[in-house]
Amino acid sequence: MKKILLFIAFSLTIFNLFAQKNGSITGILADSANHKTTLNYATVSVYKVGDSILTTYKLSDDKGVFKINGLPPNVKYRLVITAWQYGTFRKEVELSTANPALNLGTLYLSTKANDLNEVFISAERPPVIVRKDTIEFNAESFKTLPSAVVEDLLKKLPGVAIAADGSIQVNGKTVSRILVDGKEFFGGDQQIATKNLPANIIDKVQVVEDKQAKRRAPDLTAAEIPQIINLKLKKAIKKGAFGKLYAGGGLKDLYQAGGLMNFFRDTTQVSILAYGNNINQPGFNPNDVQRIGGFNRSGVNSMMMSSSGYFEFNGINFGGSNNGVQTSSGGGFNFNTINKKGIKFNTQYFFGKSNNLLEKLSNTNQTLGTDRLITNANENTTSLILKHNIGGKLDWQIDSLTQLTIEPAMVLNSNNSISKISSNNSNANNQLINTLENLNDRNSSGNKYQLRADFNKDFKKAGRSLNIGADISATPNPVTNYNKSNSIFYLTPSTSEIDQLRQNNVDNFRSYLYGNYSEPISKKLKFKADINGNIINSENALSTFYRNPANQLYDMVIPNLSQTVKQNGFKTNTNISLGYKLTKDLYLQPGLVHNYISLNNRFTNGADIDQRYHFMWPTFQLTYKIFRFNYTASFTEPNVSYLQPVADNTNALYIRNGNPNLLPARMQSLSMYMYKYDPKNLINYNLYGYGNFTKNGIINTITINNGVQTVNPINMSGIYNFQGGANISKDFRKDKTSLKAGLGFWANFDHTPVIVNNILSNANVFYVGPNGSIRLSLNDKVEINQSYSINLNRSKYNDSFYTNISYNTHQSTSELIIRYPKKVVFETSYALTINEQKIAGYNNNIKFWNAALTYLFMKNDRAQLKFSVNDILQSNVRRTIQITGNSVIDAQSNNLGRYGMLTLTYNIQNFGQKVGGRQTFFNF
């Protein structure tokens, strides 16, 4: 509680600092010819008379009103007002102590015929220009340190937010790509150059809508359309190279090393990387890997990140581990170019290798009326993972209205792991029910072959568009698992042994075809048709063999544990709608969706099962100003693995069956979203919510006998889920001090049937999480970041057989960065997690404290020597808690623990010079 009160007191002090009363200038901007036409989002720049340094600025709001606070009185100021398609307006004013609040009334600006050729006095370049569909920031107006990179510049721009995972938002809208001089630069993905390009080579930062995303999804509202950031380079910067080399070591033979080099010349870019470490860290952070280029060009089909630093793109692990301790290495290259016809080509190859050691303790506590089933497990798993990724992309802008994209990709993945698990079950009286010693030697492959193609066509008639495409993939995934286990039962004394080989080949083929067409019938009425189809061809072939005592080979086939399931068929989804613009702000789009699914399930040891279903359902979409509501429905077929009518007994105390009689699930979905950005007060806020109602959804029924759980999937209705949240943030600026404060709230509610030992109950699971954060920057010398969140977890049941569950989790993260004295950077972070779910033997309060000291040297600070200490308090664990059904699962896994590391990094930057030839590597 003391920490929370200190946090509140600190926040109030900071807010008071920014709320000090000073002079202000207010006014309204309007068209000189039509006084009723206000000038929205015009830039009002303030300079001191005789000074060319920008004092402050504001944008007018959606009614043309502007208000500039925090101006000291008894000073003469020069206002420079710029608005798209209007001439520049200049006015000198003076604030006095007697009259610190100056109201200029209405200021009238005259239109200008040629805004694009407008010439600004160099000392008066406006910091922001808002055109019809473009926001343009003048980089010189936002001062950064000499060693700053583009990311440092973007953080200073109003409305721009960079999350911990590196994703970027502008005024609450997601940034999909970053371009350089209008060209795709290293894949055009987020953070493509933010960590490498120096800020001092940027002339302008332009923000525009992603028109390609709008074509592919015409129903996107203004708040949902992704943004593109275009970095306009200074004229002298057109060719160059950049990258970094780093190497570090510490006690206990710990090491890390890596290199990243990028070359670009006009329209061609080449990237090379390599890394290796044994400190459980990615070789590069997600930003580094994304900006290598090619990931967006060749397609980021999947992305996964965790708070511990682990991440994957397209199934490729670039080092680091979500659980356990890992040694990793890898390398690859990307090549991107654009030919004279404007066709963009990309090819890439990446290889990754990781050795992982996982030591995990888990406690699963199930409520069963007056009894309980408490499972304690101790797992030790070692694994070797090898992954290859080969991909490419062709992007052809045939003409200004037509675009063709073709993306082939191949992923080859092998995972060899040996897992040893010791577990035991006990009841509410702490009586031991059984124990299990289990060994799994598993070799698996996760391969994927994919081809995606997309054709977009806009027509001269405004609003008419056509988009067609295909996504074809094959995923052959063979698994070989040698499984040995020994179970001992105590209440009814007995033993059980298993020594078997399971060969499971899962082969999925998908061919997804889609198209949408929009036709404006009138200025207010629009017709839209969306059609897609999915061809399904999946196989799950399972063969189980016992070891033959005679020859010690696994050649004894077990018929009741062997089966092949093949699923063939197709499904279609057709959605036809009419959009009507009722008023300027209100848009309605009612429609009708038709779903059809045809499946043939074939079994080697059973009768075929044919399934054919179709239904029609209304759809509806409403858009009113910043609010959007959507309602639709769809079919989802059961995965072929659920249909496999053979028990998975690799864990002898937790046996999973399949069900060949499962039906497709029908889901109704609704969503709502509201977003607002107030440029006058620098406030962002949004409100969102989603809901799903499922008929014939799949749940697991559990039967517990003598501590052995047998799981059977069945269809159930009455499943629904709601999730939503709200966020608000505000920027405060005064002189060289900036503060960004944010508050958020999210909630999730799941209503799902739970069946244990034939006792049915509805589980109502609530997750609620309020959170807040503050980011304070004092002249770029000191940065303070503080965040706090609490997750309230509740689970309630309507049958007394199950016990309600309640616990809270608190998380606090504090960060301090000091860039003083010159050339020295001190940084430290402290993360605290408090888990109120009390389980004996588990670390409920986890404290992570890291600190580092960096010394910058050489020209432009391109060399850095960093000494860092990780996990100073020796927490040495990771911990997770979750509610599933009638259970609380509490797990903790090993971490690397405390260690020190000395790392040398050399940044390579060569711009405006030739690359190669007589220019040697260290001349960069």
Side-chain angles (χ1 to χ4, degrees):
M1 180 60 69
K2 290 182 178 180
K3 293 182 179 180
I4 297 175
L5 292 175
L6 287 173
F7 175 72
I8 295 173
F10 171 76
S11 303
L12 292 175
T13 302
I14 294 299
F15 278 111
N16 184 61
L17 172 67
F18 284 88
Q20 295 176 10
K21 293 183 179 181
N22 282 309
S24 65
I25 301 175
T26 60
I28 302 174
L29 305 179
D31 189 304
S32 60
N34 184 355
H35 291 185
K36 292 183 179 180
T37 301
T38 58
L39 306 186
N40 308 334
Y41 308 116
T43 307
V44 183
S45 306
V46 180
Y47 301 84
K48 293 181 181 179
V49 172
D51 194 347
S52 62
I53 299 177
L54 179 71
T55 300
T56 187
Y57 75 94
K58 277 291 181 71
L59 298 181
S60 61
D61 62 15
D62 53 5
K63 296 180 181 179
V65 178
F66 70 89
K67 183 176 183 180
I68 303 173
N69 294 313
L71 297 175
N74 302 316
V75 177
K76 290 184 178 181
Y77 295 101
R78 185 176 73 256
L79 302 184
V80 180
I81 302 173
T82 53
W84 182 56
Q85 294 182 332
Y86 286 83
T88 303
F89 181 94
R90 297 177 177 87
K91 184 178 181 65
E92 291 190 5
V93 299
E94 182 176 3
L95 302 179
S96 63
T97 305
N99 185 24
L102 179 61
N103 189 339
L104 298 177
T106 303
L107 304 177
Y108 298 102
L109 277 68
S110 302
T111 59
K112 186 164 184 174
N114 190 357
D115 179 64
L116 295 178
N117 295 326
E118 180 176 1
V119 178
F120 293 103
I121 300 172
S122 59
E124 291 183 346
R125 286 185 62 187
V128 183
I129 298 176
V130 180
R131 295 187 171 91
K132 183 178 181 181
D133 57 355
T134 304
I135 303 175
E136 183 176 281
F137 299 96
N138 171 26
E140 293 292 337
S141 299
F142 304 90
K143 300 300 180 182
T144 56
L145 296 175
S147 60
V149 292
V150 167
E151 183 179 70
D152 300 309
L153 173 62
L154 293 178
K155 287 179 179 179
K156 292 181 173 292
L157 304 183
V160 177
I162 300 180
D165 63 5
S167 59
I168 304 175
Q169 286 191 334
V170 178
N171 298 333
K173 303 177 186 180
T174 301
V175 173
S176 59
R177 289 181 293 164
I178 293 184
L179 310 179
V180 175
D181 278 340
K183 304 180 183 68
E184 294 234 9
F185 184 68
F186 291 91
D189 207 341
Q190 296 183 24
Q191 298 85 52
I192 194 169
T194 56
K195 294 272 187 186
N196 275 317
L197 281 176
N200 58 17
I201 71 169
I202 305 300
D203 182 42
K204 299 175 183 177
V205 178
Q206 298 174 328
V207 180
V208 298
E209 291 185 347
D210 189 337
K211 295 181 179 179
Q212 186 179 45
K214 179 67 174 177
R215 286 198 301 265
R216 292 182 176 180
D219 290 334
L220 289 176
T221 63
E224 296 172 317
I225 300 174
Q227 305 292 287
I228 294 175
I229 290 179
N230 180 37
L231 303 174
K232 295 285 292 184
L233 302 179
K234 294 178 179 178
K235 292 183 179 180
I237 310 299
K238 294 299 177 184
K239 301 178 181 180
F242 63 85
K244 70 177 180 181
L245 300 173
Y246 69 91
L251 300 177
K252 304 178 184 178
D253 297 323
L254 298 177
Y255 70 90
Q256 63 173 340
L260 168 66
M261 196 64 205
N262 306 280
F263 305 89
F264 65 95
R265 182 181 297 174
D266 297 327
T267 58
T268 299
Q269 302 98 31
V270 179
S271 304
I272 303 171
L273 74 83
Y275 69 89
N277 71 71
N278 65 349
I279 59 172
N280 207 44
Q281 294 292 327
F284 297 92
N285 61 40
N287 305 326
D288 289 326
V289 173
Q290 290 193 54
R291 73 171 175 271
I292 296 309
F295 267 104
N296 211 30
R297 286 189 169 186
S298 63
V300 179
N301 304 321
S302 64
M303 177 186 301
M304 192 275 280
M305 297 184 183
S306 76
S307 58
S308 63
Y310 173 83
F311 67 96
E312 290 186 359
F313 294 141
N314 294 350
I316 296 292
N317 173 10
F318 287 91
S321 172
N322 194 33
N323 287 301
V325 176
Q326 186 182 89
T327 297
S328 60
S329 60
F333 73 89
N334 280 270
F335 174 80
N336 302 291
T337 189
I338 306 174
N339 69 7
K340 294 181 180 180
K341 295 183 178 180
I343 302 177
K344 303 172 186 178
F345 297 95
N346 161 261
T347 184
Q348 67 169 237
Y349 168 74
F350 286 97
F351 167 75
K353 176 183 177 182
S354 63
N355 288 279
N356 192 70
L357 170 62
L358 171 64
E359 296 172 344
K360 182 178 180 181
L361 296 174
S362 63
N363 177 288
T364 303
N365 199 320
Q366 295 189 64
T367 60
L368 306 170
T370 58
D371 200 1
R372 288 177 180 264
L373 181 66
I374 303 171
T375 305
N376 288 288
N378 187 340
E379 176 184 351
N380 183 294
T381 300
T382 59
S383 59
L384 171 64
I385 301 173
L386 302 174
K387 292 189 177 182
H388 302 263
N389 180 293
I390 304 170
K393 186 175 183 180
L394 181 150
D395 197 341
W396 181 17
Q397 190 72 43
I398 301 173
D399 55 43
S400 61
L401 300 174
T402 312
Q403 184 175 13
L404 174 66
T405 303
I406 300 175
E407 304 173 64
M410 178 171 61
V411 176
L412 305 176
N413 168 34
S414 66
N415 186 340
N416 302 319
S417 65
I418 298 177
S419 178
K420 298 178 181 179
I421 301 177
S422 297
S423 64
N424 63 76
N425 288 313
S426 57
N427 57 25
N429 297 323
N430 204 27
Q431 290 179 293
L432 189 63
I433 301 174
N434 53 42
T435 61
L436 170 68
E437 296 293 330
N438 197 22
L439 171 66
N440 281 291
D441 186 346
R442 179 185 174 94
N443 299 315
S444 63
S445 296
N447 304 321
K448 186 173 185 177
Y449 308 92
Q450 185 176 35
L451 176 64
R452 297 193 300 172
D454 189 88
F455 177 82
N456 291 284
K457 174 68 176 178
D458 289 332
F459 296 86
K460 293 182 179 180
K461 183 178 180 180
R464 179 185 293 171
S465 64
L466 174 67
N467 172 238
I468 57 175
D471 187 345
I472 303 171
S473 64
T475 54
N477 298 311
V479 179
T480 300
N481 188 3
Y482 294 91
N483 172 230
K484 295 181 180 180
S485 68
N486 183 13
S487 306
I488 301 176
F489 299 88
Y490 296 95
L491 299 183
T492 305
S494 64
T495 60
S496 175
E497 292 186 2
I498 294 176
D499 189 354
Q500 65 185 14
L501 165 65
R502 286 169 58 95
Q503 292 182 333
N504 196 188
N505 294 317
V506 181
D507 195 345
N508 295 316
F509 176 84
R510 291 288 189 274
S511 183
Y512 178 67
L513 309 174
Y514 60 91
N516 62 69
Y517 177 76
S518 296
E519 176 66 31
I521 299 174
S522 66
K523 290 183 178 181
K524 291 189 174 183
L525 190 64
K526 180 178 72 172
F527 169 80
K528 186 175 182 296
D530 292 292
I531 302 173
N532 62 70
N534 200 334
I535 300 173
I536 302 167
N537 190 342
S538 301
E539 179 177 295
N540 188 323
L542 175 62
S543 300
T544 305
F545 305 87
Y546 281 167
R547 185 196 290 267
N548 190 334
N551 56 20
Q552 298 299 306
L553 298 177
Y554 292 93
D555 58 7
M556 298 175 61
V557 179
I558 311 302
N560 64 334
L561 294 178
S562 302
Q563 176 79 268
T564 296
V565 180
K566 293 183 178 181
Q567 185 180 73
N568 298 284
F570 65 93
K571 62 178 182 178
T572 63
N573 181 291
T574 303
N575 191 342
I576 297 176
S577 61
L578 284 173
Y580 184 70
K581 194 171 186 179
L582 196 62
T583 66
K584 178 184 177 182
D585 299 318
L586 180 60
Y587 179 80
L588 304 177
Q589 186 174 320
L592 192 65
V593 63
H594 176 262
N595 282 294
Y596 178 77
I597 188 165
S598 175
L599 296 175
N600 174 248
N601 302 310
R602 290 175 290 168
F603 306 88
T604 53
N605 298 324
D608 294 355
I609 299 177
D610 293 328
Q611 297 176 321
R612 286 173 177 79
Y613 304 93
H614 74 91
F615 78 99
M616 298 183 69
W617 206 261
T619 65
F620 182 71
Q621 185 179 120
L622 179 149
T623 304
Y624 180 71
K625 291 185 177 180
I626 62 174
F627 175 81
R628 181 182 180 181
F629 173 84
N630 188 70
Y631 170 80
T632 188
S634 61
F635 259 142
T636 302
E637 76 280 3
N639 188 285
V640 68
S641 62
Y642 278 109
L643 302 176
Q644 178 63 269
V646 174
D648 181 351
N649 63 344
T650 51
N651 182 338
L653 301 183
Y654 191 85
I655 299 173
R656 292 170 294 174
N657 292 321
N659 183 355
N661 298 308
L662 289 175
L663 304 174
R666 189 172 75 184
M667 181 181 295
Q668 300 174 60
S669 303
L670 55 87
S671 64
M672 58 81 64
Y673 184 81
M674 185 171 66
Y675 156 80
K676 177 68 175 179
Y677 173 62
D678 181 354
K680 184 174 71 172
N681 297 304
L682 298 177
I683 296 177
N684 254 313
Y685 64 85
N686 65 61
L687 178 69
Y688 62 92
Y690 306 93
N692 295 305
F693 302 85
T694 305
K695 181 179 180 180
N696 290 331
I698 297 176
I699 69 164
N700 289 321
T701 66
I702 301 176
T703 302
I704 301 176
N705 183 19
N706 203 20
V708 178
Q709 301 182 70
T710 303
V711 179
N712 294 282
I714 65 171
N715 289 115
M716 285 287 291
S717 297
I719 302 172
Y720 50 88
N721 165 269
F722 297 99
Q723 56 182 306
N727 297 282
I728 183 170
S729 65
K730 179 173 173 58
D731 291 330
F732 301 85
R733 299 176 185 272
K734 183 179 181 182
D735 299 328
K736 296 182 179 181
T737 299
S738 66
L739 172 72
K740 183 169 186 177
L743 292 173
F745 174 86
W746 65 271
N748 187 88
F749 172 71
D750 283 304
H751 177 90
T752 307
V754 175
I755 303 176
V756 177
N757 289 343
N758 295 319
I759 298 176
L760 171 65
S761 177
N762 288 317
N764 297 306
V765 182
F766 304 83
Y767 295 96
V768 180
N771 59 82
S773 64
I774 287 180
R775 179 178 180 270
L776 174 67
S777 176
L778 304 173
N779 196 24
D780 279 329
K781 300 297 184 183
V782 178
E783 288 187 20
I784 301 173
N785 300 307
Q786 176 65 52
S787 65
Y788 172 78
S789 66
I790 178 172
N791 294 333
L792 312 176
N793 308 278
R794 305 289 185 268
S795 183
K796 296 184 178 181
Y797 309 88
N798 58 5
D799 192 291
S800 60
F801 183 76
Y802 306 96
T803 303
N804 295 338
I805 301 170
S806 174
Y807 69 90
N808 302 327
T809 302
H810 304 259
Q811 291 182 317
S812 172
T813 302
S814 307
E815 183 181 28
L816 172 66
I817 301 173
I818 301 176
R819 298 184 179 94
Y820 186 85
K822 191 176 181 180
K823 304 290 185 179
V824 176
V825 179
F826 171 76
E827 53 188 312
T828 183
S829 63
Y830 180 78
L832 172 64
T833 301
I834 301 174
N835 296 294
E836 296 181 356
Q837 173 66 26
K838 308 294 184 181
I839 294 181
Y842 281 73
N843 187 357
N844 291 294
N845 298 335
I846 299 177
K847 305 170 184 178
F848 275 108
W849 180 23
N850 301 328
L853 187 67
T854 303
Y855 174 65
L856 312 175
F857 60 100
M858 296 186 68
K859 184 179 180 180
N860 295 328
D861 298 332
R862 55 178 66 174
Q864 304 170 8
L865 185 63
K866 181 176 183 178
F867 175 69
S868 59
V869 181
N870 180 79
D871 195 6
I872 297 173
L873 301 178
Q874 190 74 338
S875 293
N876 204 34
V877 296
R878 295 189 180 103
R879 186 172 186 225
T880 60
I881 301 176
Q882 68 183 75
I883 298 174
T884 301
N886 65 320
S887 306
V888 175
I889 303 173
D890 196 325
Q892 66 179 30
S893 59
N894 60 318
N895 198 0
L896 195 58
R898 181 169 56 217
Y899 67 88
M901 181 71 64
L902 186 66
T903 304
L904 176 64
T905 301
Y906 179 73
N907 293 290
I908 303 165
Q909 297 176 355
N910 173 39
F911 298 100
Q913 302 181 34
K914 292 182 179 179
V915 179
R918 296 183 180 180
Q919 300 291 331
T920 64
F921 186 82
F922 291 101
N923 285 141
F924 289 148

